[in-house]
């Protein structure tokens, strides 16, 4: 056998002998911060689970970065939701689970080729096992209804046995298990009779491993039950219009003041789908139904006005391929809660005031029957059409000062009246859209923010202008903008992050420029792209966007910003957050010229742009690159060492030594 054939056979034997029984993976969240996924993949890891959401409002700010970072480098990604179960009735348990499942699907946006979605069960929220089983089933059913996917369940053996009575129902229904059992044993302990005889799909075997590319001291480490996670990947989601398979249902007692929850049923056809709801009031027998104004959420609490009437919920499922609707069976006639009638609104709350950022609007409670003893107020931010309203944190008084986050949105005021029989909500008609405050003429170099006023500062050369809306910068805070050609610094005093971003516009800058941010003007990181100014996604401090051909940066912190040509030397997207780390990616080959000079050839890899010597070559794209080095003649058999040096655009150095024997 020739030497090359012997080498190939040896490599094949080594690969077979060292092949792992289980493919390696990790699970991460915002606690791990920014991750160099190229290094993770280089360490032999083939899959990852990333936290997407928690409860009904928390979105993990690193999820989008982790999804993009794992794309195209051989790592399969799955998303998980940290469950926060709650509820004191069947309807509250069900509606709470559905709300969390909807939040997860909206954030995770699962797609074909992903690992299955996951519900992470670590807290029972005070629920007894029957309640937690109901909550878990409602969450899984909602994810399946919207995506067509059967989610994984993450839990430890002890939690499953104590909080879910060691039930096998989910295993028998086809939900696979991601078991959390930190042990050095060859196999984990499994609940629910070896998970209904199906065993584990994924195994979190350790909560403290050092993973290349992740700076955290301890990272969760996982295994898949096989040599490759591919068999567990989900198929491409189907296309087309949705069609009802099983009808929606209503959970909860038919009683005034007791919440009802709508379960949307199951649907065939295109995925993912989103659901909208319309509650209807019918006669006592369930006929002659008509929509209840404003009753368009997944849950509904009957009031005194519904007593004696049956209720029906109509669910509309919408996918990219179209929409379809289905209705539930009617409830029984709504009964009274107590001898006292619930408050009922005779006239809706009203909102008055100027709808411009910085102005204050006020709301009235409206008029009510039932002699309410108290009222509570909750301002809500809605879409431009007055739909999809979300409560504004802390806005719980009859007046509200408009913020930059309200621009383009409409507002409504939800007033809840209470008496001894219970409570009834009523909402104001949504306002017109909130407009931004007019931007005054820009001041050169620096300006102190004024209460309730917008502001603008321009550099002396006119290269950049920073603007802000009322409330974005605390009154008295100085906002300054300096320029030294290509580097701009924003000086904000004090240095705390701002509640709303300021907007820097670069006059004449090409729209495709990459924006970098730096603390010291030497090392730069890429600024992510945002699509909805003047807002930044929750948890983000900076973001870049282009509008009308002008490059903009949104920032909530003092920093230096610089524009880079895309894919050119110094593009921060192509520079690792660490100093250069060269690795050999191919065997070293040495040839001897007639002159006796030796030529050493190989391929090296770098996770970053680098300037390489010897050879004085710029490597613009991370990855592998060829190396050819001439070495003076040496006697046959002499062991030689050649050091290759790499310097990244920020001046950080790394190296690799090639060792070989002279032929």
């Amino acid at each position: 056998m020739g030497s090359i054939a012997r080498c190939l056979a040896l490599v094949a034997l080594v690969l077979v002998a060292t092949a792992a029984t289980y493919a390696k993976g990790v699970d991460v969240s915002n606690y791990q911060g920014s991750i160099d996924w190229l290094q993770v993949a280089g360490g032999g890891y083939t899959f990852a689970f990333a936290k997407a959401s928690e409860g009904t409002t928390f979105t993990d700010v690193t999820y989008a970065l982790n999804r993009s970072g794992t794309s195209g480098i051989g790592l399969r990604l799955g998303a998980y939701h940290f469950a926060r179960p709650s509820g004191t009735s069947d309807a509250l348990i069900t509606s709470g689970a559905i709300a969390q499942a909807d939040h997860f699907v909206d954030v995770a946006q699962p797609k074909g080729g992903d690992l299955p979605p996951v519900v992470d069960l670590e807290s029972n929220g005070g629920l007894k096992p029957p309640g937690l089983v109901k909550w878990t089933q409602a969450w899984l059913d909602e994810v399946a209804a919207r995506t067509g996917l059967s989610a994984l369940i993450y839990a430890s053996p002890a939690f499953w046995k104590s909080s879910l009575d060691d039930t096998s129902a989910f295993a028998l229904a086809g939900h696979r298990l991601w078991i959390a059992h930190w042990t050095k044993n060859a196999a984990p302990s499994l609940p629910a009779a070896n998970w209904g005889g199906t065993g584990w799909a994924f195994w979190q075997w350790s909560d403290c491993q050092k993973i290349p590319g992740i700076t955290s001291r301890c990272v969760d480490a996982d295994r898949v039950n096989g040599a490759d996670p591919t068999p567990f990947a989900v198929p491409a989601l189907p296309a087309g219009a949705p069609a009802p398979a099983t009808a929606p249902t209503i959970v909860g007692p038919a009683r005034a003041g007791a919440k009802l929850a709508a379960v949307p049923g199951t649907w065939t056809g295109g995925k993912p789908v989103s659901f909208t709801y319309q509650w209807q009031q019918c006669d006592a027998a369930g006929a002659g139904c008509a929509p209840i104004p404003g009753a368009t959420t997944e849950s509904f609490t009957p009031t005194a006005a519904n007593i004696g009437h049956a209720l029906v919920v109509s669910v509309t499922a919408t996918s990219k391929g179209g929409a379809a609707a289905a209705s539930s069976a009617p409830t029984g006639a709504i009964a009274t809660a107590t001898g006292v009638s619930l408050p009922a609104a005779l006239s809706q709350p009203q909102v008055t005031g100027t709808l411009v950022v910085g102005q204050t609007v006020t709301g009235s409670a409206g008029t009510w029957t039932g002699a309410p003893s108290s009222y509570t107020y909750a301002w809500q931010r809605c879409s431009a059409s007055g739909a999809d309203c979300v409560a504004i944190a802390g806005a719980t008084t009859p007046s509200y000062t408009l913020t930059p986050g309200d621009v383009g949105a409409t507002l409504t005021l939800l007033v809840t009246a209470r008496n001894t029989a219970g409570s009834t909500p009523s909402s104001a008609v949504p306002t017109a859209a909130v407009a931004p405050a007019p931007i005054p003429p820009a001041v050169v170099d620096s300006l102190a923010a004024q209460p309730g006023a917008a502001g603008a500062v321009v550099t002396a050369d006119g290269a950049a202008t920073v603007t802000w809306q009322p409330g974005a910068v605390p009154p008295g805070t100085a906002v300054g903008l300096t320029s030294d050609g290509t580097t701009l610094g924003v000086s904000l005093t004090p240095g705390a992050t701002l509640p709303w971003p300021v907007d820097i516009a670069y006059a004449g800058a090409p729209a495709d420029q990459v924006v970098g941010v730096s603390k010291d003007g030497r090392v730069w990181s890429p600024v992510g792209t945002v699509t909805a100014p003047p807002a930044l996604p929750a948890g983000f401090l900076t973001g870049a966007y282009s509008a009308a051909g002008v490059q903009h940066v949104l920032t909530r912190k003092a920093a230096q910003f610089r524009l880079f040509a895309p894919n050119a030397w110094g593009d921060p997207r192509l520079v690792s957050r660490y100093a250069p780390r060269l690795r050999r990616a191919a065997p070293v080959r040495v040839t001897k010229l007639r002159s006796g000079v030796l030529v050493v050839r190989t391929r090296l890899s770098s996770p970053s742009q680098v300037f390489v010597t010897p050879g004085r070559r710029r490597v613009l794209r991370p990855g592998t690159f060829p190396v050819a080095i001439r070495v003076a003649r040496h006697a046959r058999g002499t062991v030689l060492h050649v050091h290759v040096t790499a310097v990244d655009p920020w001046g950080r150095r790394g190296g690799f030594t090639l060792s070989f024997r002279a032929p």
Side-chain angles (χ1 to χ4, degrees):
M1 182 183 294
S3 60
I4 294 178
R6 285 196 301 273
C7 181
L8 291 175
L10 178 59
V11 170
L13 287 172
V14 170
L15 288 175
V16 171
T18 61
T21 303
Y22 306 125
K24 299 191 300 181
V26 297
D27 60 274
V28 297
S29 69
N30 55 296
Y31 292 109
Q32 277 68 57
S34 181
I35 296 173
D36 190 333
W37 285 106
L38 285 172
Q39 288 198 51
V40 176
Y45 293 85
T46 60
F47 70 94
F49 286 103
K51 183 177 181 179
S53 56
E54 179 177 332
T56 57
T57 59
F58 179 83
T59 299
D60 193 305
V61 297
T62 62
Y63 175 73
L65 297 175
N66 291 332
R67 177 171 276 283
S68 62
T70 55
S71 176
I73 62 171
L75 276 168
R76 289 199 181 272
L77 182 73
Y80 75 87
H81 173 81
F82 190 96
R84 291 293 184 186
S86 64
T88 55
S89 68
D90 287 352
L92 290 170
I93 290 171
T94 300
S95 63
I98 289 175
Q100 292 196 35
D102 286 340
H103 178 50
F104 167 73
V105 173
D106 292 341
V107 173
Q109 299 182 19
K111 60 184 179 180
D114 286 355
L115 296 178
V118 182
V119 59
D120 178 349
L121 294 174
E122 300 183 45
S123 169
N124 59 26
L127 296 179
K128 300 298 184 183
L132 187 56
V133 168
K134 185 180 294 291
W135 190 99
T136 303
Q137 189 66 63
W139 191 97
L140 295 170
D141 288 347
E142 182 69 1
V143 170
R146 291 194 59 185
T147 67
L149 303 176
S150 178
L152 293 170
I153 295 174
Y154 169 100
S156 70
F159 181 87
W160 195 262
K161 292 175 181 178
S162 64
S163 293
L164 290 107
D165 270 354
D166 206 26
T167 178
S168 298
F170 298 106
L172 298 176
H175 295 284
R176 298 303 303 274
L177 175 65
W178 176 11
I179 188 67
H181 183 198
W182 306 328
T183 177
K184 294 182 179 179
N185 294 338
S189 297
L190 298 180
N194 193 34
W195 202 250
T198 62
W200 57 276
F202 293 86
W203 173 16
Q204 187 188 82
W205 67 273
S206 173
D207 69 332
C208 193
Q209 294 294 307
K210 182 64 178 174
I211 309 296
I214 303 179
T215 57
S216 301
R217 183 178 64 85
C218 285
V219 182
D220 295 338
D222 303 274
R223 293 167 178 160
V224 65
N225 201 346
D228 185 352
T230 299
F232 292 93
V234 301
L237 302 187
T246 61
T249 56
I250 297 175
V251 177
R255 187 176 67 245
K259 177 174 283 192
L260 300 175
V263 178
T266 60
W267 300 76
T268 59
K271 298 290 190 303
V273 296
S274 59
F275 298 120
T276 55
Y277 302 85
Q278 177 61 66
W279 291 83
Q280 301 179 14
Q281 179 173 279
C282 316
D283 64 21
C289 303
I292 301 173
T296 56
T297 61
E298 179 271 338
S299 61
F300 176 72
T301 302
T303 69
N306 306 122
I307 293 173
H309 296 272
L311 300 179
V312 163
V313 66
S314 175
V315 178
T316 299
T318 303
S319 72
K320 290 183 178 179
S327 294
S328 70
T331 66
I334 301 299
T336 59
T338 66
V340 178
S341 298
L342 286 168
L346 293 175
S347 65
Q348 291 176 278
Q350 300 290 323
V351 176
T352 58
T354 303
L355 296 170
V356 173
V357 175
Q359 300 297 311
T360 298
V361 292
T362 57
S364 67
T367 58
W368 298 78
T369 64
S373 57
S374 65
Y375 301 97
T376 57
Y377 301 85
W379 290 90
Q380 297 181 334
R381 187 182 293 122
C382 313
S383 67
S385 64
D388 304 321
C389 299
V390 177
I392 302 172
T396 57
T397 63
S399 62
Y400 172 66
T401 300
L402 300 171
T403 72
D406 300 317
V407 173
T410 60
L411 298 178
T412 186
L413 176 62
L414 178 67
V415 177
T416 301
R418 288 179 170 80
N419 63 15
T420 56
S423 62
T424 304
S426 180
S427 294
V429 173
T431 66
V434 176
I439 300 296
V443 175
V444 177
D445 291 338
S446 180
L447 176 68
Q450 300 301 311
V457 172
V458 64
T459 58
D461 59 4
T465 302
V466 59
T467 59
W468 61 92
Q469 285 287 297
V473 180
T477 298
V479 180
L481 196 61
T482 59
S483 173
D484 60 4
T486 58
T487 303
L488 291 164
V490 181
S491 176
L492 304 172
T493 307
T497 58
L498 300 174
W500 304 101
V502 299
D503 188 315
I504 307 171
Y506 295 83
D512 65 345
Q513 294 290 281
V514 177
V515 182
V517 60
S518 176
K519 294 180 180 179
D520 56 12
R522 186 175 70 89
V523 177
W524 299 85
S525 300
V527 173
T529 300
V530 296
T531 58
L536 282 173
F540 280 68
L541 296 177
T542 58
Y545 71 97
S546 178
V550 176
Q551 184 67 55
H552 292 256
V553 175
L554 296 172
T555 180
R556 294 177 56 234
K557 67 175 183 178
Q560 288 183 296
F561 299 93
R562 180 177 174 183
L563 301 181
F564 296 85
N567 302 313
W569 179 254
D571 183 340
R573 300 172 305 171
L574 305 177
V575 182
S576 172
R577 53 196 300 265
Y578 304 104
R581 300 175 183 177
L582 296 182
R583 297 290 186 269
R584 186 165 60 83
V588 176
R589 294 184 292 112
V590 184
T591 56
K592 187 174 184 179
L593 304 181
R594 290 184 177 181
S595 62
V597 172
L598 305 179
V599 179
V600 183
R601 291 183 174 86
T602 187
R603 293 187 72 85
L604 299 178
S605 69
S606 168
S608 174
Q609 289 183 337
V610 286
F611 182 79
V612 179
T613 55
R616 300 184 59 79
R617 175 186 177 187
R618 272 186 178 177
V619 178
L620 294 179
R621 305 291 298 182
T624 65
F625 58 91
V627 174
I629 304 171
R630 291 175 173 261
V631 180
R633 69 177 67 189
H634 285 80
R636 180 190 297 271
T638 303
V639 176
L640 302 174
H641 307 281
V642 176
H643 189 70
V644 180
T645 300
V647 182
D648 72 9
W650 318 144
R652 299 174 298 183
R653 305 174 68 87
F656 190 84
T657 299
L658 299 173
S659 300
F660 59 93
R661 191 179 298 275

